[in-house]
Amino acid sequence: MSISIIGNWKSNGSLDLNKVWVKDFLNSINSSAIQDTAVCPPFIYLEQMIDLTSDIDLSIGSQDIDSSNGARTGSISVDACKDIGCTISIIGHSERRALFHESNLEIRDKLIAAHANNMQVILCIGETKEHHLSGTTNDFLQNQITESLANLELSDRFMIAYEPVWAIGTGDTPQSSEINAIHKFIKDIVQSSSKNNFTPNVIYGGSVSSKNAEVLFNEEHIDGALIGGASLNGKEFAQIANIYKDRGI
Ligand code: PGA
């Protein structure tokens, strides 16, 4: 899977703003960088964004999927997302875990549903400030990974986004070398806990912008970024994707 730069619009966007976003993105993106990018608008705008970008290689993804379909009022199934042309989904974002109480086991069911439907996924993991301060980050991440992935068969349609909760929307990020070491740890744990010893790409999320992107992307184990606030501006998002494409490694 080549997608490395993913925008998470969260609960933002509008029919008008989305059109401006696509125009700004197209005016700033280098054509060779487009294929690395995906953007995840709210469900209600997926179809509009798929239509607006039908001529370009930008992938459109969802911010979540349900693990099943049928009698599940208010939820959106993998089948429905695929039906309208959505190819990729974020799963287990920390806001889903905190605000909507999603557990590692529910997230596991979503991963299984996505895999069965050939949907690409970005599994989000990340520690809270308390774990960061008490030095228990690795234990916390290992638990998230093993509860949601143990004995699952993984493929290159699967990747992880490491997003320290305390870095999301705060401008406060770990040093790039610290992130690099954690990504290496995550790759090793996924490799040893997945059924087929798969080593995933690991992208970083938490206050990524065009200002810190270059430093991050020069680290060996940072394979891209999941971008919230800075992805709401098409030009800024394109600039981050261009920096990724031109990185030194
Ligand atoms: P941020 O959000 O880039 O605004 O910190 C990242 C995310 O929540 O995925």
Side-chain angles (χ1 to χ4, degrees):
M1 179 163 81
S2 66
I3 293 173
S4 311
I5 302 297
I6 299 156
N8 173 13
W9 284 3
K10 309 189 179 183
S11 199
N12 292 290
S14 73
L15 291 174
D16 287 342
L17 284 173
N18 303 347
K19 287 184 199 152
V20 175
W21 189 96
V22 172
K23 203 160 150 266
D24 290 346
F25 175 76
L26 284 175
N27 282 338
S28 303
I29 191 81
N30 297 337
S31 54
S32 63
I34 298 184
Q35 65 187 23
D36 297 337
T37 58
V39 72
C40 302
F43 284 116
I44 198 84
Y45 299 128
L46 282 172
E47 204 167 0
Q48 181 205 16
M49 285 299 289
I50 288 167
D51 284 350
L52 287 173
T53 59
S54 59
D55 293 343
I56 58 172
D57 241 350
L58 170 74
S59 296
I60 303 297
S62 61
Q63 298 171 13
D64 183 35
I65 42 157
D66 198 1
S67 57
S68 186
N69 48 17
R72 300 174 71 81
T73 303
S75 81
I76 312 274
S77 67
V78 191
D79 298 337
C81 286
K82 289 206 76 172
D83 195 25
I84 59 157
C86 171
T87 53
I88 184 164
S89 181
I90 298 170
I91 292 182
H93 190 279
S94 62
E95 288 153 15
R96 301 282 329 158
R97 295 173 187 261
L99 301 173
F100 303 97
H101 312 293
E102 277 186 21
S103 68
N104 287 326
L105 294 180
E106 284 165 317
I107 288 163
R108 180 183 175 90
D109 287 342
K110 293 182 178 194
L111 292 170
I112 293 169
H115 182 76
N117 286 279
N118 288 329
M119 177 78 115
Q120 299 182 48
V121 293
I122 307 121
L123 168 66
C124 299
I125 60 172
E127 81 286 2
T128 60
K129 184 103 193 168
E130 282 152 34
H131 286 100
H132 172 64
L133 293 177
S134 65
T136 54
T137 293
N138 285 6
D139 290 345
F140 185 80
L141 296 174
Q142 181 159 1
N143 184 55
Q144 283 189 320
I145 292 168
T146 48
E147 280 199 13
S148 44
L149 290 185
N151 293 321
L152 290 192
E153 178 113 15
L154 301 176
S155 74
D156 60 4
R157 286 190 299 278
F158 171 87
M159 70 169 115
I160 289 201
Y162 168 57
E163 299 204 299
V165 176
W166 53 276
I168 294 177
T170 60
D172 186 15
T173 65
Q175 295 291 319
S176 62
S177 56
E178 284 174 67
I179 299 171
N180 191 53
I182 291 175
H183 283 204
K184 173 77 177 75
F185 173 78
I186 291 170
K187 288 178 185 188
D188 289 346
I189 298 295
V190 174
Q191 202 258 342
S192 58
S193 46
S194 63
K195 193 172 177 182
N196 52 336
N197 299 121
F198 181 76
T199 305
N201 276 353
V202 180
I203 65 175
Y204 169 75
S207 299
V208 176
S209 71
S210 58
K211 295 198 177 59
N212 59 15
E214 189 176 348
V215 172
L216 292 169
F217 297 153
N218 280 328
E219 296 287 351
E220 182 185 353
H221 295 293
I222 301 183
D223 303 314
L226 180 57
I227 305 150
S231 76
L232 296 178
N233 180 307
K235 180 176 178 195
E236 169 77 0
F237 182 67
Q239 279 169 348
I240 298 170
N242 292 341
I243 293 167
Y244 181 76
K245 196 72 192 174
D246 295 342
R247 72 197 185 284
I249 51 173

